Amino acid sequence: MHHRYPSGRPDRLPPGMIMRSSAYPGVFMSWSFSRRLRRLGAVTAALLLCLSAHVLSATVAAADTVEPGSAPPLRSISYNVCGASAACRSELDLPSWTAIVAGQARDWNADSVMLQELCHGQWESLRDALPGYQGVWTKTLDAPGCAKWSGDTGFGLGLFVKSPAVDRFSANLTVPTGQEPRAVLCARGPVQGRTTLTCTTHLAQYITPDNGSAQALAHIDSWAAGLPVTLGGDFNAGPQYAALDPLRAGTPGTGPFAEADENDRDYFTAACLEAGATTCRSGEPTAGGQKFDHVFLSARDFRTVRADAVQPDTGGAGPLSDHLLLRAAAAAESRAPSGVAGDLTGDGRPDLLAVKDDGVLRLYPGLADGRVGTPRIIGLGGWQDAAVSHRGDWTGDGREDVVARVGDALWVYPNTGSGELGKRLAMGGRPTGWTNALPLAAGDVDGDGLPDLLARSSTGLWLHRGAAAEAGNPSFAARAAVRIGGPEWAGYDVLLPGDMDEDGRADVEARDRATGRLLAYPSRGAEPLPTPRQLTGEALPTAARRLLVSPGDVTGDGSPDLWSTVASGGVEDLQILPGTATGTGTARTVGAGGWQWINSLG
């Protein structure tokens, strides 16, 4: 709900601080009176609801209830448990409280449980009571009221995900001086076989202008790395509030979000009902007669969203919290490909692959202005000497795939839609024999609508034309490879900017590794490349810039850009060299340190 003081003394506000009543706009009052007034409003609303249900029972269906037996398969729970405030926390002891909350998770078969206003002792107890779940926690402050549950008075957010393993992410939000800290907490790992970022937060109305929605979303966008996202929490905003607009819109990386309760017609506004809308900025109240608790899901990854607010049964011991527990459900949706060259995650932005010296393949999602997001591992072990690239759909499903030379063999790793890799497939037509060549997926070089591959060797640059996939199996066409570049290519790095002259054929660029010159070659299909044009900008010799890759246009200005490692005081950074009409512009650092451990980029 609104700002709650976890000290257990909700009637004591900091000097000069007042609260705006959510039930009576324009009225200011102390916190304790505000809480009592909201509870009185909730009771009144409940009586009116019962009366209206009695009067209209002949014509109105029963309230929409999402049952465990019929709900869509991907399940989550969001619950503000009010762990520290004596005005609203449960009267139960820790074992009894834990049994009820854990029981709710099991009965709902929840894949994720997202908890706010949680004390560390409660989190520890739930962790032990939920085998098969991975628990993560973040502390925002110490609250004396948390001493009810354990000697640790930590207070904050907790998250449990039914997954074999997760990566934890957390960040504090920027709040006005003197206000209670707020945070966002996420866990990234497989959920029903699909890697997902699951997050929780507790926003506040004193974080202007949007309760902290945009701040939380910026962190989530970076951590998601193009993956599906589930976000649950107490947003201190009703469905109709503009504070939720950033979440509904999402970012290019996450896409827009759907709110799990947006299609519950029992709570549609009159305007939505009159318009025959299928979704509405409404929903079942969760606290004090209002809906401040929400579960948002990335709309391109989930469908058939449902939600239901319930009061856990305590056997007459009183409510567990002043909030209801929000149960949400959805079905998985296959993400449509964006059609943007270099985009593995389906968000419309080119992405970066990096092979680290530990043999692990990482995906760095491309962000705005050439930045990259938090990496995620998409290949475990065995990639140390691999040459990886991604340009073109080799399996016929519309998604850009990863092509990799591993040892002497050439493999295609199908993209499952968000950058995760499926079971590798041998490249038909020439699955082996690549030890002395550097093969790179190049897009459609010859203009026939199918992906092609360029291979650099001591004899020059060779075009291997792709064939249409049969039953999802990649293959080269039954035609001999064509040499389109002479022996000088043995000293060049092959760069793949995409179709820059818009003639339907992917063009080629090169870096002279000795001099650092950049050369541009328009494609001539299966004919030899013409005399190149030297690009303007700084020289990029390998002594200064060990690794260089062209992802295409990552800055959105129509010119191809470059990502490059650069030596910096004994370490290496990652820089973006933005493209211009004639070459490259001024380099900017987008990744500080650690890139000296990267063997190759793709």
Side-chain angles (χ1 to χ4, degrees):
M1 288 248 353
H2 285 21
H3 185 96
R4 178 179 292 117
Y5 290 87
S7 64
R9 300 176 66 187
D11 56 323
R12 295 292 299 276
L13 297 172
M17 182 154 190
I18 55 178
M19 288 292 301
R20 181 185 297 273
S21 168
S22 59
Y24 297 88
V27 178
F28 292 81
M29 61 199 73
S30 72
W31 173 251
S32 60
F33 181 64
S34 171
R35 181 182 294 277
R36 290 196 297 270
L37 196 54
R38 285 197 303 275
R39 285 184 169 172
L40 177 60
V43 172
T44 303
L47 290 173
L48 290 174
L49 182 62
C50 290
L51 178 61
S52 62
H54 176 73
V55 171
L56 301 176
S57 60
T59 58
V60 179
D64 176 37
T65 301
V66 186
E67 297 292 348
S70 58
L74 290 162
R75 316 277 182 84
S76 58
I77 284 174
S78 183
Y79 195 20
N80 182 324
V81 301
C82 185
S85 174
C88 58
R89 72 183 175 211
S90 173
E91 299 174 357
L92 295 172
D93 60 20
L94 182 60
S96 301
W97 180 92
T98 302
I100 293 174
V101 176
Q104 289 288 325
R106 287 190 292 268
D107 292 346
W108 185 235
N109 194 20
D111 297 292
S112 58
V113 181
M114 302 164 281
L115 304 173
Q116 308 87 45
E117 295 198 25
L118 183 71
C119 294
H120 191 263
Q122 294 172 296
W123 178 83
E124 282 189 319
S125 184
L126 277 175
R127 180 193 59 191
D128 297 339
L130 290 172
Y133 288 80
Q134 303 298 320
V136 296
W137 154 266
T138 193
K139 172 182 168 181
T140 56
L141 49 77
D142 281 299
C146 284
K148 169 180 168 65
W149 310 105
S150 75
D152 187 333
T153 58
F155 174 86
L157 303 169
L159 185 60
F160 296 90
V161 181
K162 191 185 292 183
S163 178
V166 297
D167 297 318
R168 174 189 176 276
F169 302 90
S170 70
N172 291 325
L173 305 183
T174 300
V175 303
T177 301
Q179 298 287 13
E180 180 183 318
R182 300 292 164 131
V184 58
L185 172 69
C186 298
R188 193 171 70 192
V191 175
Q192 294 196 22
R194 184 173 69 161
T195 305
T196 301
L197 185 74
T198 306
C199 301
T200 187
T201 192
H202 186 188
L203 302 184
Q205 292 173 343
Y206 49 74
I207 309 177
T208 57
D210 57 15
N211 293 14
S213 290
Q215 285 190 56
L217 186 60
H219 291 296
I220 290 168
D221 182 25
S222 175
W223 300 333
L227 289 170
V229 176
T230 299
L231 168 63
D234 178 353
F235 294 83
N236 266 307
Q240 74 282 11
Y241 287 21
L244 298 182
D245 287 350
L247 294 170
R248 295 185 187 279
T251 67
T254 63
F257 284 83
E259 206 279 325
D261 213 16
E262 67 183 13
N263 50 21
D264 187 346
R265 292 183 59 83
D266 292 317
Y267 295 92
F268 273 22
T269 65
C272 288
L273 291 172
E274 184 177 352
T278 57
T279 63
C280 189
R281 288 194 171 194
S282 56
E284 187 171 0
T286 59
Q290 299 199 55
K291 179 177 175 59
F292 281 166
D293 303 270
H294 305 269
V295 173
F296 289 96
L297 304 106
S298 50
R300 65 191 180 193
D301 304 303
F302 298 92
R303 56 180 171 82
T304 321
V305 295
R306 297 286 186 271
D308 194 22
V310 299
Q311 181 70 268
D313 183 5
T314 61
L320 291 187
S321 170
D322 59 346
H323 286 244
L324 297 182
L325 180 148
L326 183 63
R327 306 186 306 193
E333 178 77 303
S334 295
R335 186 178 297 183
S338 70
V340 173
D343 176 22
L344 289 170
T345 61
D347 63 2
R349 300 182 292 194
D351 304 305
L352 177 66
L353 295 178
V355 176
K356 197 169 179 289
D357 61 357
D358 59 3
V360 169
L361 178 64
R362 287 171 166 79
L363 184 151
Y364 290 80
L367 302 178
D369 301 323
R371 295 176 294 114
V372 293
T374 304
R376 56 186 162 101
I377 294 172
I378 61 171
L380 285 171
W383 294 83
Q384 287 94 329
D385 299 317
V388 297
S389 56
H390 57 101
R391 195 60 61 84
D393 169 26
W394 290 86
T395 57
D397 61 0
R399 301 186 180 99
E400 185 160 285
D401 302 309
V402 173
V403 175
R405 184 204 66 195
V406 182
D408 187 50
L410 189 63
W411 301 94
V412 174
Y413 292 79
N415 179 8
T416 63
S418 59
E420 301 290 293
L421 302 182
K423 183 179 180 181
R424 70 182 185 179
L425 304 168
M427 179 68 84
R430 186 180 169 183
T432 58
W434 296 94
T435 301
N436 297 317
L438 178 66
L440 298 172
D444 183 12
V445 175
D446 62 0
D448 65 355
L450 298 169
D452 302 310
L453 182 141
L454 294 178
R456 187 196 73 201
S457 71
S458 59
T459 60
L461 185 67
W462 296 81
L463 170 65
H464 297 259
R465 286 167 283 186
E470 295 186 8
N473 293 307
S475 181
F476 291 128
R479 290 176 285 185
V482 177
R483 191 172 77 167
I484 61 172
E488 69 274 12
W489 279 87
Y492 291 172
D493 285 329
V494 182
L495 304 173
L496 304 167
D499 178 15
M500 299 317 303
D501 54 10
E502 299 183 346
D503 66 350
R505 297 179 295 196
D507 301 309
V508 188
E509 292 180 352
R511 171 177 69 166
D512 185 324
R513 291 199 297 277
T515 66
R517 293 182 306 149
L518 289 179
L519 306 171
Y521 299 82
S523 174
R524 294 292 181 260
E527 300 297 320
L529 294 172
T531 300
R533 170 175 60 92
Q534 184 168 338
L535 299 178
T536 62
E538 67 172 287
L540 307 173
T542 55
R545 296 184 178 273
R546 182 173 56 91
L547 302 176
L548 187 68
V549 66
S550 176
D553 178 18
V554 298
T555 57
D557 61 1
S559 297
D561 306 304
L562 297 171
W563 274 315
S564 167
T565 58
V566 60
S568 175
V571 299
E572 289 184 15
D573 298 335
L574 181 71
Q575 290 190 334
I576 178 77
L577 289 99
T580 68
T582 59
T584 60
T586 303
R588 291 184 287 106
T589 298
V590 294
W595 290 85
Q596 67 274 17
W597 310 118
I598 301 299
N599 287 353
S600 63
L601 299 175

